[in-house]
């Protein structure tokens, strides 16, 4: 509701924006974050809450795309991100239902053979601490289904409640001195010799030395050249009613977050209140809640027939950004004053 001056203005109140606000404020910089809706409203509050450690378990993919030196830096950054997440959650006592343990599930024998062939080189380059190749029988010891040919168990990879994480980071950023403003849509910006002028829809302005664009798939028409650098996809999830402990353990004998290798990439895990959260890329373009609920419910019950009588109580979805190499983020700058981070 007033014009402001700061060192860094951030556009976007998702986990990228609020994390940047926190770290910048901790360094003593004056930070203003502008969010068009509410903190965590978009994909940072709606995603599956699972961290993956890699773009592709075959290191040759990124070696070819980036060169071996830059690919190695990427793997190092991915490893640091895992450790940083645990550190930040602990340091700020963020209650976000943090769990450890993820499982990449191979849908076919060919997928499993590919995992087995590339895992040794991958773990040598990227330290997935304790990563273990599982055969079909060992997968049955983890899951209440026998459809998988094998998989890779990664015991340290975290899963959590994404909205609680994002809001927890936002609270920590405010405590560190950052100013966060919701319902403050940015309509444009202009650079000049002094820095960047950021314009809001209500006519107010923020003057900043630097600007960080962190709106991901919700960037819209603000910066068209950035929106062309990724594909915006729509993904959906459902949640069952809370499961009794014995039924929950019949589905996930070990409390792990599971991501399949097939193209549709079904993914699922137990929430803090024992609901089965279930998503699938096969409905990326479907945004009608009734259709999505029916389709994902059918997929869920085909995978776990023991849940046939359990109601599916919630359905939701949203846009996310994906670059040419899948899980790799797009981070850079448009000028010496304008920075961006997207498809994260």
């Amino acid at each position: 509701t007033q014009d402001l001056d700061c060192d860094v203005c951030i556009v976007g109140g998702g986990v990228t924006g609020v994390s940047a606000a926190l770290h910048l404020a901790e360094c003593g910089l004056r930070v203003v974050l502008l969010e068009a809706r509410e903190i965590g409203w978009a994909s940072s509050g709606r995603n599956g809450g699972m961290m993956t450690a890699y773009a592709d378990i075959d290191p040759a993919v990124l070696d070819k795309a980036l060169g071996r030196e830059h690919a190695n830096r990427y793997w190092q950054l991915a490893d640091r991100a895992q450790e940083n997440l645990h550190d930040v959650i602990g340091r700020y006592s963020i209650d976000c239902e943090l769990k450890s343990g993820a499982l990449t599930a191979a849908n076919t024998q060919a997928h499993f053979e590919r995992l087995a062939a590339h895992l040794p080189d991958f773990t040598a380059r990227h330290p997935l601490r304790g990563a273990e190749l599982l055969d079909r029988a060992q997968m049955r010891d983890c899951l209440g289904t026998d459809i998988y040919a094998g998989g890779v168990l990664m015991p340290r990879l975290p899963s959590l409640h994404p909205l609680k994480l994002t809001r927890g980071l936002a609270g920590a950023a405010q405590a560190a001195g950052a100013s966060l403003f919701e319902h403050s849509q940015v309509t444009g910006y202009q650079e000049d010799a002094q820095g960047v002028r950021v314009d809001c829809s209500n006519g107010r302005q923020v003057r900043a030395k630097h600007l960080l664009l962190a709106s991901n798939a919700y960037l819209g028409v603000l910066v068209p050249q950035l929106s062309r650098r990724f594909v915006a996809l729509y993904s959906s999830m459902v949640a069952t009613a809370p499961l009794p402990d014995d039924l929950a353990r019949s589905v996930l004998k070990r409390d792990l977050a599971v991501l399949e290798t097939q193209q549709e990439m079904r993914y699922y895990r137990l929430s803090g209140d024992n609901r089965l959260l279930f998503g699938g890329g096969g409905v990326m373009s479907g945004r009608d809640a009734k259709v999505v609920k029916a389709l994902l419910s059918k997929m869920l019950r085909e995978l776990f027939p023991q849940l046939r009588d359990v109601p599916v109580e919630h359905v939701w979805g949203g846009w996310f950004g994906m670059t040419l190499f899948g899980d790799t983020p797009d981070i850079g700058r448009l000028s010496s004053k304008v920075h961006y981070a997207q498809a994260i």
Side-chain angles (χ1 to χ4, degrees):
T1 57
Q2 59 183 316
D3 294 342
L4 297 171
D5 292 287
C6 64
D7 295 310
V8 183
C9 179
I10 300 171
V11 180
V15 70
T16 300
V18 296
S19 178
L22 169 59
H23 289 82
L24 291 166
E26 286 181 325
C27 293
L29 296 175
R30 296 172 300 152
V31 181
V32 170
L33 183 148
L34 304 172
E35 163 57 42
R37 304 292 286 263
E38 295 88 32
I39 297 298
W41 175 84
S43 55
S44 290
R46 304 183 219 169
N47 66 77
M50 298 162 57
M51 176 181 273
T52 57
Y54 53 86
D56 194 299
I57 205 165
D58 178 5
V61 175
L62 277 191
D63 285 352
K64 182 178 180 180
L66 304 178
R68 190 176 179 91
E69 179 183 352
H70 283 88
N72 281 339
R73 289 171 61 188
Y74 175 84
W75 300 128
Q76 293 165 10
L77 184 63
D79 185 58
R80 284 166 49 199
Q82 298 172 56
E83 299 306 310
N84 179 69
L85 181 64
H86 287 278
D87 176 63
V88 168
I89 290 171
R91 187 157 25 115
Y92 294 103
S93 301
I94 298 174
D95 179 14
C96 57
E97 303 175 13
L98 178 65
K99 302 179 182 180
S100 292
L103 186 61
T104 297
N107 294 84
T108 68
Q109 185 63 28
H111 289 178
F112 176 63
E113 290 172 359
R114 186 171 183 272
L115 289 175
H118 294 300
L119 186 62
D121 187 29
F122 183 79
T123 52
R125 297 271 302 280
H126 171 49
L128 272 177
R129 296 174 180 85
E132 179 184 356
L133 190 70
L134 305 183
D135 60 22
R136 186 182 293 273
Q138 291 170 312
M139 291 292 285
R140 286 197 297 268
D141 292 335
C142 296
L143 305 174
T145 178
D146 60 358
I147 73 161
Y148 299 118
V152 176
L153 174 64
M154 292 157 283
R156 276 196 57 78
L157 280 189
S159 62
L160 47 76
H161 191 303
L163 183 57
K164 289 183 177 181
L165 171 68
T166 306
R167 290 182 173 172
L169 290 171
Q174 288 179 303
S179 299
L180 278 57
F181 297 93
E182 298 181 316
H183 304 288
S184 301
Q185 184 175 11
V186 171
T187 57
Y189 69 88
Q190 295 291 328
E191 293 184 69
D192 56 32
Q194 285 71 47
V196 186
R197 187 197 75 216
V198 182
D199 301 314
C200 293
S201 57
N202 66 350
R204 297 299 182 182
Q205 298 177 350
V206 176
R207 296 286 317 192
K209 296 176 184 177
H210 291 268
L211 172 65
L212 170 61
L213 300 167
S215 296
N216 209 349
Y218 290 81
L219 186 66
V221 297
L222 183 62
V223 190
Q225 65 264 42
L226 285 185
S227 295
R228 289 193 292 267
R229 293 178 61 87
F230 64 87
V231 175
L233 301 172
Y234 197 93
S235 188
S236 300
M237 296 188 70
V238 294
T240 67
L243 304 178
D245 286 342
D246 58 343
L247 187 55
R249 294 297 163 254
S250 78
V251 173
L252 287 165
K253 299 176 183 178
R254 296 178 62 177
D255 193 358
L256 301 169
V258 182
L259 174 67
E260 295 184 346
T261 59
Q262 67 180 4
Q263 187 174 4
E264 290 82 4
M265 286 197 308
R266 296 180 299 193
Y267 51 95
Y268 50 91
R269 65 182 182 87
L270 290 172
S271 67
D273 59 351
N274 249 22
R275 300 175 187 270
L276 186 68
L277 309 180
F278 188 90
V283 291
M284 282 179 177
S285 62
R287 283 173 278 155
D288 184 283
K290 290 183 179 179
V291 174
V292 169
K293 183 178 180 180
L295 178 57
L296 288 181
S297 298
K298 182 174 181 288
M299 293 168 64
L300 183 158
R301 287 161 180 155
E302 286 176 347
L303 184 60
F304 298 112
Q306 59 268 50
L307 300 181
R308 60 185 176 274
D309 297 324
V310 175
V312 171
E313 293 189 340
H314 303 283
V315 56
W316 69 95
W319 295 98
F320 67 97
M322 180 173 284
T323 62
L324 182 62
F325 299 102
D327 292 336
T328 53
D330 182 25
I331 302 171
R333 61 185 183 180
L334 299 177
S335 70
S336 61
K337 302 182 182 74
V338 180
H339 313 261
Y340 67 89
Q342 58 189 18
I344 295 177

